[in-house]
Amino acid sequence: MNVSLNFNLAQNYTSQSQIIRVVSESWVRENSYCPSCGAEDLQKFDNNKPVADFYCPKCSEEFEVKSKKGNLSKKIVDGAYATMINRITSLNNPNFFFLSYNGTRRVVENFFIVPKHFFTPEIIEKRKPLALTARRSGWTGCNIDLVGVPDLGKIFLVKNSEILQPKNVIEKWSKSLFLRKSNLQARGWTLDVLSCIDNISKNEFTLDDVYKFEQNLKTKHPDNKFVKDKIRQQLQVLRDKGIIDFKNRGVYRKVGT
């Protein structure tokens, strides 16, 4: 993998968004690999494929690429809201590569993937429809809210221009695959509790530390009247899957920290 970007490929383009698209997609095609199975050659979909850019010919995982000069913001602009929601609710949504680059040095600074099982409707923010005077009047886009994605769902292939070991990338990918077996509601609970754990600054934490997020979880799940019971259930799920360790009664530890 080479972190350098080839801007010569975009000499015939004037639009900044087109330049970024051409350069970043070329870089992904030449340098990335499948974080699911390790296959080295990702294939490009035909242009204008809805919500996907690449696929792995070995395991058939699909990938969309989002790129930006400088640091990636907390919210990433995406395409049509209805299309994205339909893909998520049908469990046919793509995995997302996010790439940020240094415009002066022309190198990739950060390149990470969010697996599709971390996408729920709650992290897809609906934008305002285009005005009546717009060419595509009424069209409604969306943003991807990365704040709602737990740390486990942000798998770096390149971090601060340092290339990470593929075996570690594939291992982290595999660790969260159990989420694909859950329906959207169950998966949403697991991800919400995992996000609460991420927001606890200590590596070792208690059940009471997680209970502090009870009101926040009640707001997200107003139909559930037994939030503390649900928290304990999800902690057991995360423990069984090796995401956290059970130390002793009411005490847990984040794995890998």
Side-chain angles (χ1 to χ4, degrees):
M1 184 180 287
N2 186 338
V3 297
S4 297
L5 295 167
N6 183 4
F7 276 79
N8 292 330
L9 297 170
Q11 287 181 341
N12 295 328
Y13 295 89
T14 56
S15 166
Q16 188 63 27
S17 61
Q18 289 179 321
I19 292 172
I20 293 174
R21 177 182 58 80
V22 169
V23 172
S24 61
E25 288 185 2
S26 175
W27 184 87
V28 171
R29 185 172 60 251
E30 294 178 6
N31 291 277
S32 190
Y33 54 88
C34 178
S36 172
C37 69
E40 295 183 357
D41 297 317
L42 296 182
Q43 300 296 310
K44 184 80 170 66
F45 274 118
D46 293 337
N47 290 335
N48 301 320
K49 165 82 175 176
V51 203
D53 295 316
F54 293 92
Y55 67 94
C56 175
K58 184 177 179 181
C59 68
S60 301
E61 292 284 352
E62 298 184 5
F63 307 93
E64 169 93 347
V65 180
K66 292 294 178 184
S67 307
K68 183 183 177 184
K69 180 179 178 180
N71 295 326
L72 286 167
S73 58
K74 295 178 181 179
K75 294 183 179 181
I76 307 299
V77 176
D78 195 55
Y81 175 79
T83 300
M84 176 59 86
I85 292 297
N86 286 339
R87 293 292 296 273
I88 288 175
T89 54
S90 67
L91 299 180
N92 190 36
N93 52 317
N95 308 286
F96 270 78
F97 279 126
F98 294 96
L99 183 154
S100 65
Y101 69 94
N102 184 298
T104 303
R105 296 168 51 223
R106 295 190 169 186
V107 296
V108 173
E109 291 190 326
N110 293 293
F111 181 57
F112 66 92
I113 188 163
V114 176
K116 65 181 182 180
H117 42 276
F118 284 90
F119 281 80
T120 61
E122 287 72 27
I123 70 167
I124 307 302
E125 181 181 73
K126 189 175 184 179
R127 301 204 306 267
K128 291 182 179 180
L130 293 183
L132 295 175
T133 54
R135 182 171 58 87
R136 292 189 294 168
S137 173
W139 183 88
T140 304
C142 67
N143 299 320
I144 301 170
D145 185 6
L146 292 178
V147 174
V149 179
D151 291 343
L152 184 66
K154 299 170 185 175
I155 305 173
F156 283 83
L157 288 75
V158 177
K159 192 168 187 177
N160 298 324
S161 295
E162 178 185 349
I163 301 167
L164 304 185
Q165 289 293 329
K167 66 177 182 179
N168 295 335
V169 171
I170 295 170
E171 180 182 349
K172 189 170 182 180
W173 172 284
S174 300
K175 200 168 187 178
S176 66
L177 284 179
F178 73 93
L179 289 165
R180 293 194 180 183
K181 299 177 182 178
S182 304
N183 60 37
L184 272 175
Q185 184 178 20
R187 183 154 43 104
W189 263 106
T190 306
L191 294 176
D192 286 342
V193 172
L194 188 54
S195 291
C196 294
I197 294 172
D198 283 348
N199 285 316
I200 298 173
S201 59
K202 301 175 292 185
N203 294 334
E204 194 169 284
F205 61 95
T206 67
L207 182 58
D208 286 338
D209 288 328
V210 189
Y211 280 166
K212 292 177 182 178
F213 297 91
E214 181 183 7
Q215 189 55 52
N216 178 266
L217 292 170
K218 281 182 177 180
T219 301
K220 287 187 173 183
H221 304 274
D223 295 332
N224 191 296
K225 307 303 180 185
F226 305 97
V227 173
K228 286 187 175 179
D229 292 343
K230 199 69 176 179
I231 288 173
R232 292 194 298 272
Q233 178 198 60
Q234 293 306 312
L235 289 175
Q236 182 173 336
V237 169
L238 295 172
R239 180 201 65 186
D240 291 346
K241 297 302 179 180
I243 310 301
I244 59 175
D245 276 341
F246 176 76
K247 301 295 292 182
N248 50 61
R249 187 174 180 84
V251 181
Y252 302 85
R253 182 180 65 86
K254 302 177 185 180
V255 172
T257 58

